[in-house]
Amino acid sequence: ADEIEAEAKERTDLNVERRDIEVFTRLAPPRYLLGFSVRRMVRHVEMWRDVSRFGGIAVHTSHLSREGTTRLTVVCPDRPGLLALLSGTLSANGLQILSAQGFSITAAPDPRNAPVDATSPSPETERVPIPASASEVHQMVGPSPARTEERLVVDVLYVTDEQGQLCEDPRRWRCFRTDLESVIFGGADVDALFERRRPAPTIAPRPASYTHL
């Protein structure tokens, strides 16, 4: 936790407190803690905290020019078949997964259940809207209930377009986020989404054949 906190203090683009780090590292599975750098963990802590508190889905994309891929990080409520839903939604937008890692983790404890003293804010003051700072770091999509499910998943995927090239098209990534929200929270069918997003193949008409007698 000390190393993550030291990294968080240097990251002025993030807003992570020590208590967030301590809870996250206590709840995260051991293979997660062994699989990521401290720098990456800091971002995951913030995304996990925001989804725990505000609901919805946190999405962050990092385009890696040298590797020719996009690192896509998604934190959302855990559910069966989530990777298939992510893969189908990406495919509907002309994107493909090269590799993926997923980690299930308990949501952050509800701060409104913490002991309250005379100097603590009332429980009602904890029901605040998603802060602007969150959207500056990662996109929050989906409904914003006071609390979310007890189990979340941190998914880290490396993605390219269908030709295996880096995709930096902001419009396509916006469409992906919109589609993912409709699939996770709106019950949208991935197959129907695929048909709607992808143009029907154009087949040149075959010339009429005839037999000369």
Side-chain angles (χ1 to χ4, degrees), residues 7 12 92 98 115 125 137 146 155 171 181:
E7 175 68 24
T12 57
L98 300 183
T125 63
V137 178
D155 275 328
R171 180 180 175 279
E181 177 185 355

Side-chain angles (χ1 to χ4, degrees), residues 112-209:
R112 293 167 303 176
N113 292 334
V116 177
D117 57 34
T119 61
S120 298
S122 65
E124 287 74 20
T125 63
E126 294 295 341
R127 296 178 180 270
V128 295
I130 297 174
S133 59
S135 62
E136 293 170 1
V137 178
H138 50 259
Q139 288 75 37
M140 299 289 293
V141 299
S144 301
R147 285 292 294 168
T148 187
E149 285 82 348
E150 289 302 313
R151 299 294 298 182
L152 303 180
V153 65
V154 178
D155 275 328
V156 180
L157 309 97
Y158 288 85
V159 178
T160 65
D161 66 15
E162 291 178 318
Q163 287 72 45
Q165 302 299 313
L166 175 65
C167 176
E168 298 181 273
D169 179 6
R171 180 180 175 279
R172 192 182 304 190
W173 286 108
R174 283 196 301 270
C175 287
F176 163 73
R177 291 193 295 271
T178 300
D179 291 343
L180 184 62
E181 177 185 355
S182 66
V183 167
I184 299 295
F185 295 112
D189 181 73
V190 173
D191 291 336
L193 177 66
F194 189 93
E195 293 298 325
R196 186 169 68 251
R197 283 284 184 206
R198 306 304 299 274
T202 57
I203 302 177
R206 298 178 61 183
S209 60

